[in-house]
Every structure is written in C-alpha cells, then in structure tokens.
Amino acid sequence: MSKRLMLLSNSTMHGRGFLDHAAEEIKDFLGDVERLLFVPFALHDREAYAQKVRARFADLGIEVDSLHDVDDEEEAVENALAIFIGGGNTFRLLNTLYELKLIEPIRRRVEGGMPYMGASAGTNMACPTIRTTNDMPIVEPPSFAALNLIPFQINPHYVDPDPSSKHMGETREDRIREFHEMNRIPVLGLREGAWLSVEEPHVELGGATLARLFQPGKPPEEYEPGASLDFLLRKPPAA
Amino acid sequence: MSKRLMLLSNSTMHGRGFLDHAAEEIKDFLGDVERLLFVPFALHDREAYAQKVRARFADLGIEVDSLHDVDDEEEAVENALAIFIGGGNTFRLLNTLYELKLIEPIRRRVEGGMPYMGASAGTNMACPTIRTTNDMPIVEPPSFAALNLIPFQINPHYVDPDPSSKHMGETREDRIREFHEMNRIPVLGLREGAWLSVEEPHVELGGATLARLFQPGKPPEEYEPGASLDFLLRKPPAA
C-alpha cells in the first residue's frame, strides 16, 4: 500500500479551538477509521494532552487510544488503524520515541500504508531529521534522525520576517539559510494554517496560506493552497 | 587565578554597529590585553567574520588572531591572552569545537584565568550545555555538553511575549518552562543589550535592560542593570 500522511503546521489557530481549522480535512483523511492511536510525548502532561485529543476526536466520531497508557507500546503501534503524533517539544518527543524503541515500528507501519497525522513537532517527526525544528533542545536525543517518512524537511509554524522588529535574533529565513549552508535537502516552510497531504505519489498543499520552499542555491518559491508538490517525493541529493 | 567572563546577549543592537553598545565595557574587561584570539566557527564565512572582528577591535587598539587561520588550534588556545567566541549558530559552533578537540583546552585556560568573552552563541558556549539556545539544530554535535564555565544556563536574545501576536508557536518563556520540566538548573534570560560580568566570586548584570531569572518551581524574577547575581555561582542541584 502507498503512504498516506497529513502533516499540519500547527494544531491550533489563534482564536480557534484545537484542530478546528482542519477538522473537515482530518475527517476526510481518516475516512472510515474509527480508532486512532495518539502519541502525547511532546508535552509533559501526557494524561491532560490525551484527554484533550480524546474529546476533540469524539466530536468527529473517532475513539482515541493514547500511547502513554497502553501496556505494550510496540504492540499498540502494530495494531493501530491510524496514528496521530501531537505537537509540543520536538526534542522531548524524539527522545521518548528512541527510549521506547518506536522509531522503526512506526516507520514500518506508515510505509505499509497506515495513515499518519502529525502537527508541529509531529510533523517534524515525519522528516528525515529534526534539523529544521524551531524548538529549544531541552533534552538530548541519541540522534537527530527522525521517522524519515518523506524525503524533504518541513519547517512548521513558518513565519515571515517582521519588518518593524528591532530584535536582532535570526529570522526564520536566516535560520533556514544557515541550514542550507550545512545541508542540501529542500525545506518547506509551512505557515500556520497550512498542511501537506501526502498520498503517494501525490503531495498537495492544503489550508488557507501559502507555503515557502527553500532549496540550496535557488531563491525561495511560494506555493498556493491546492498546489501540487509531487516533485518533492523524488529523492533529493544526499544531505 | 579566578575566572573572568563577559557574556553578551547579542553582539549588535538594532541600528548600531557591531559591539558598539558594549565597547567601553569590553575595553575595561580586556584591560591591558593587546591581542585577542577570535573563534569564528558559529558563522559559515569564517574569513569575512574574522575581518569584521579584526576591524572592530582595531578601533579599540587590540589585534585579533582568528582560530580558523592558525596552524595549530590547540597551541593557539594555549598561548592566547584572551578569547572571544562570536555569535551565529550554536550547534555549528559546538560541533566544530568538538571536531577540533578544543573543548577541554579552552575550558582549562579559562579556569586558569584567561579572560573569556562570548556573544550570543558564544555565551551559550560558556554554559553547562546548549539546551537553552534559540538556534535551529542544523548540524548534530556529538553532545550538547558545552564549556561548563558557569553553573547555570543563559538564554541570549531573551524576548518578552508580544501580546498582539497571533502566532501560535511557543513564546520564549514557554520554552524555558519546558526546559524546567526536564532540567533543574537556573536559566537567566538576557535581553538584547544586557551582558553578564563574571569576576569570580562576583557576577554582575551589565548593560541597559533588565534580565529575567527562571528557576524551577518559582515565579520568574527580574534583575536590574548593576544587580549582583553572585548567588548564581553557588552550585545548583544536579540537572
């Protein structure tokens, strides 16, 4: 079976409820899946996070098991009908997936066709590495290598430079330029409100905002909602 | 000899020249040092960076050797009268210090009394780890352990939350709260324009802005320029 992923920039839009901005499309993406495996490890309070997700998906008619309260995590992954990795801190999330030895089991299932939903840190997790996360490195994972479900990087919560800012820290674009001083792989900047639908061999930009694609040695390019980005699934030069 | 460090939040203020906001104090800090060893590894273009630093310190009557164009890096560190580690990407900087096996040589010299100046990533480098950097993890260093010259963490370029922002990414305070979900060590948020002078056993806040101290289980505290922060040199509980 071909891979299916829905990769959201963010789970909540300013002034709206959790996942509200993408609820219709999530329902479409999950289709007749009635039970979802949730991965809460990006946040500290896993139980509170699981309850929030459970309540939200109940509205969509979908039950939720949370990976923090199953007896056997690997077995839960093996038996899942679909998986949702929630946002929070990318380093904490990846570190926990390594601790629980879940990288390969999740990868195998998604490669085999299990639908994968990610938001923010959960979207970083689908990339080859976490080298384009915005998060603070609060814990040290054994490696930056992530699930490698797509052959390019995503930068979630992408923000344009604020011309009125007097802050001298790097802009997001500066940071991605620095990434390309050290790496060759494309980076898609997903602004808040945008998501990427991967239905192999197709990739389509969803949501209400443009996305900005960075490739080494090229000027950045903008893509509109609905744009086909199939070319991103062709293997890039080695990073 | 006791340790002497000058740790700047940032090297450039909006609308001003490189190091202009702290030039007087840098001159005081370096005293009769006539030759400075510069570490340019946080930026990609090391030669351009070294030229900029050389020109700036020439105005202060100080000559600069850059660590990227010496024959033997370890020997250069052994013989340096003072060291300045410049800003840029913290992960790239730390990775290069590991590649060149310079962590211990630099640490030893600073422990022995060689003056250490850092700005931004160079300030992160003085901390026990790089876990409170703001930078994108564009390369993977062998460890997050840094020079460990002070027993607390600094967050450079600290910014207060913008109440008008609709961006849903974590604020800096959110990120430091997440750090304290996983670590016990204090974090000093140095706003742009601030620096820390460490003249063992004394620590004093310098510059023109307040600094914000985060400790686990306590509300954040604000300190004014000129404040004594000697208590930060007492060893905190294990991280």
Side-chain angles (χ1 to χ4, degrees):
Chain A
M1 274 178 74
S2 66
K3 261 186 289 190
R4 302 188 60 231
L5 297 91
M6 181 169 178
L7 302 173
L8 294 102
S9 173
N10 56 312
S11 48
T12 311
M13 292 301 286
H14 183 78
R16 302 191 64 180
F18 183 63
L19 294 179
D20 284 356
H21 68 292
E24 282 295 308
E25 292 79 1
I26 291 170
K27 188 76 187 139
D28 281 354
F29 175 72
L30 292 175
D32 55 7
V33 167
E34 290 175 346
R35 212 170 175 93
L36 182 68
L37 181 62
F38 174 59
V39 181
F41 302 141
L43 288 191
H44 184 63
D45 188 341
R46 298 166 173 188
E47 183 54 33
Y49 202 5
Q51 279 175 24
K52 178 178 176 174
V53 169
R54 218 169 257 133
R56 185 65 188 88
F57 278 90
D59 290 344
L60 303 177
I62 295 169
E63 287 190 272
V64 169
D65 296 309
S66 180
L67 203 49
H68 81 289
D69 66 0
V70 300
D71 288 336
D72 182 327
E73 293 91 359
E74 194 172 336
E75 188 179 286
V77 169
E78 290 308 327
N79 296 328
L81 302 175
I83 196 166
F84 170 37
I85 305 195
N89 183 286
T90 303
F91 292 87
R92 174 161 52 195
L93 170 58
L94 182 61
N95 192 51
T96 309
L97 294 184
Y98 275 107
E99 278 176 355
L100 297 175
K101 299 186 167 51
L102 292 176
I103 300 282
E104 277 311 308
I106 295 173
R107 231 180 77 77
R108 229 173 14 239
R109 287 297 321 280
V110 181
E111 293 286 344
M114 176 180 69
Y116 177 102
M117 242 186 80
S120 190
T123 288
N124 285 132
M125 220 43 39
C127 300
T129 71
I130 61 165
R131 293 185 182 200
T132 52
T133 178
N134 308 310
D135 293 338
M136 189 173 269
I138 60 173
V139 290
E140 186 176 340
S143 166
F144 287 180
L147 292 169
N148 195 24
L149 301 170
I150 52 175
F152 54 95
Q153 294 287 127
I154 292 177
N155 177 249
H157 298 275
Y158 182 79
V159 280
D160 295 290
D162 171 3
S164 73
S165 172
K166 295 191 156 96
H167 189 73
M168 296 298 285
E170 291 86 352
T171 66
R172 193 66 57 80
E173 184 156 339
D174 290 337
R175 295 172 192 276
I176 296 172
R177 192 184 312 119
E178 289 189 335
F179 173 84
H180 277 142
E181 290 167 353
M182 314 295 283
N183 304 272
R184 300 280 308 156
I185 188 169
V187 180
L188 185 68
L190 277 185
R191 294 181 178 88
E192 294 189 348
W195 60 82
L196 211 59
S197 296
V198 180
E199 306 265 354
E200 222 176 15
H202 298 299
V203 180
E204 191 181 301
L205 183 64
T209 56
L210 281 71
R212 192 166 177 85
L213 180 66
F214 299 87
Q215 298 191 77
K218 285 189 183 183
E221 295 166 301
E222 292 284 339
Y223 289 90
E224 299 198 354
S228 162
L229 299 171
D230 297 358
F231 64 92
L232 286 175
L233 288 188
R234 287 172 224 138
K235 284 278 173 200
Chain B
M1 273 177 74
S2 66
K3 261 186 289 190
R4 300 188 61 231
L5 296 91
M6 181 170 179
L7 303 173
L8 294 102
S9 172
N10 56 310
S11 48
T12 311
M13 291 301 285
H14 183 78
R16 301 191 65 181
F18 183 64
L19 294 178
D20 284 356
H21 68 293
E24 282 297 308
E25 291 80 1
I26 290 170
K27 188 76 185 138
D28 282 352
F29 175 73
L30 292 175
D32 55 7
V33 167
E34 290 175 349
R35 211 171 176 91
L36 181 69
L37 181 62
F38 174 59
V39 181
F41 302 141
L43 288 192
H44 183 64
D45 189 340
R46 298 164 174 189
E47 183 53 33
Y49 201 6
Q51 279 175 24
K52 178 179 176 173
V53 169
R54 218 169 257 133
R56 185 66 189 85
F57 279 89
D59 289 345
L60 303 177
I62 296 169
E63 287 191 273
V64 170
D65 297 308
S66 180
L67 203 49
H68 81 289
D69 65 0
V70 301
D71 288 336
D72 183 325
E73 293 90 359
E74 195 171 336
E75 189 180 285
V77 169
E78 290 310 325
N79 296 328
L81 302 175
I83 195 166
F84 170 37
I85 305 195
N89 184 285
T90 304
F91 291 87
R92 174 161 51 197
L93 170 58
L94 182 61
N95 192 51
T96 309
L97 294 184
Y98 275 107
E99 277 176 356
L100 297 175
K101 298 186 168 49
L102 292 175
I103 300 283
E104 277 311 308
I106 295 173
R107 231 179 78 76
R108 228 173 14 238
R109 288 296 322 281
V110 182
E111 293 288 343
M114 175 181 68
Y116 178 103
M117 242 186 80
S120 191
T123 287
N124 286 131
M125 218 46 38
C127 301
T129 71
I130 61 165
R131 292 185 182 201
T132 52
T133 178
N134 309 308
D135 292 339
M136 190 173 268
I138 60 173
V139 289
E140 187 175 340
S143 166
F144 287 179
L147 292 168
N148 195 23
L149 301 170
I150 51 174
F152 54 95
Q153 294 288 128
I154 292 177
N155 177 249
H157 297 276
Y158 182 78
V159 280
D160 295 290
D162 171 2
S164 73
S165 172
K166 296 189 155 104
H167 189 72
M168 297 297 285
E170 291 86 352
T171 65
R172 192 65 60 79
E173 184 156 339
D174 289 338
R175 295 172 191 277
I176 295 172
R177 193 184 312 119
E178 288 189 335
F179 173 84
H180 277 141
E181 289 167 353
M182 315 294 284
N183 303 272
R184 299 280 307 157
I185 188 169
V187 180
L188 184 68
L190 277 186
R191 294 182 178 88
E192 293 188 349
W195 60 80
L196 211 59
S197 295
V198 180
E199 306 266 355
E200 221 175 16
H202 299 298
V203 181
E204 190 180 302
L205 183 64
T209 57
L210 280 71
R212 192 167 177 85
L213 180 65
F214 299 87
Q215 298 193 77
K218 286 189 183 182
E221 296 166 299
E222 292 284 338
Y223 288 90
E224 298 198 354
S228 162
L229 299 172
D230 297 359
F231 65 91
L232 286 175
L233 288 188
R234 285 172 225 140
K235 285 279 174 198

